Amino acid sequence: MHQNIDLKPLRDHPLFLEKAALWFSEKWGIDEQIYCESIEKCIQNKTGIPQWYVVLNAEREIIAGAGIIENDFHDRKDLSPNLCALFVEGRYRGQGVAKYLLDFAREDCGKLQIEKLYLVTDHTSFYEKCGWSFLAMVKGEDDTVQRMYTALTF
């Protein structure tokens, strides 16, 4: 794993709110304001959902991030909360950053009394390597069928 990286739960680092909202917006093509509102809620309600995390490099640039939200735009509202918006910048891929972020989120949510997390993806083997299990196929809001994974927190 890359040595000079620093994972920040945004609830404890409100100064990163705007920078993180812009970064997530650019990666996922979702309005920056939506991320701003969700991250703000995370900062205000430190122990609930949503939660947001960023990984910084030595230059304090965001190189990866993810969130925990109630529902990641799918029809199974009972499968909650969802890890969402996981993204690692290209030059940091293949170095364990995503697994580090996934494990941190699972541990952090365990401390917040959340027993299980879910996520939707079109990846077929990556999450299994990180300790997640395939659960079911779910329908996205745009009617696409996606893979749903689950993992216990720790």
Side-chain angles (χ1 to χ4, degrees):
M1 164 112 94
H2 217 272
Q3 292 305 311
N4 297 316
I5 64 170
D6 189 16
L7 197 150
K8 301 278 190 200
L10 290 178
R11 66 177 176 262
D12 299 329
H13 299 279
L15 294 177
F16 283 99
L17 186 152
E18 291 179 14
K19 184 177 182 178
L22 177 62
W23 185 84
F24 281 109
S25 175
E26 288 173 349
K27 302 308 166 198
W28 294 103
I30 295 172
D31 189 331
E32 181 181 351
Q33 187 59 36
I34 292 170
Y35 287 109
C36 254
E37 289 169 7
S38 187
I39 294 167
E40 242 169 39
K41 189 175 176 188
C42 163
I43 292 165
Q44 292 164 359
N45 306 334
K46 295 192 182 298
T47 60
I49 303 298
Q51 291 296 319
W52 288 93
Y53 311 96
V54 293
V55 179
L56 308 175
N57 64 11
E59 293 77 37
R60 313 294 286 160
E61 301 164 323
I62 298 174
I63 61 154
I68 307 288
I69 60 174
E70 288 295 334
N71 180 279
D72 196 12
F73 309 106
H74 58 78
D75 64 345
R76 292 293 305 273
K77 307 298 185 207
D78 58 314
L79 302 177
S80 179
N82 293 186
L83 187 126
C84 70
L86 176 64
F87 192 91
V88 177
E89 295 287 358
R91 66 189 172 127
Y92 292 92
R93 292 182 185 163
Q95 299 175 40
V97 176
K99 182 172 184 340
Y100 174 60
L101 185 52
L102 287 165
D103 287 349
F104 185 92
R106 287 173 66 189
E107 184 176 341
D108 190 52
C109 286
K111 291 175 185 171
L112 298 175
Q113 309 302 310
I114 297 164
E115 295 179 11
K116 193 181 285 189
L117 293 173
Y118 301 89
L119 64 81
V120 289
T121 185
D122 53 6
H123 290 282
T124 54
S125 61
F126 172 75
Y127 291 99
E128 285 97 332
K129 292 176 188 169
C130 295
W132 292 67
S133 302
F134 174 74
L135 181 67
M137 300 301 285
V138 297
K139 190 180 288 191
E141 286 183 351
D142 59 358
D143 281 341
T144 59
V145 176
Q146 299 171 299
R147 299 173 65 81
M148 170 70 72
Y149 283 82
T150 187
L152 295 173
T153 60
F154 34 75

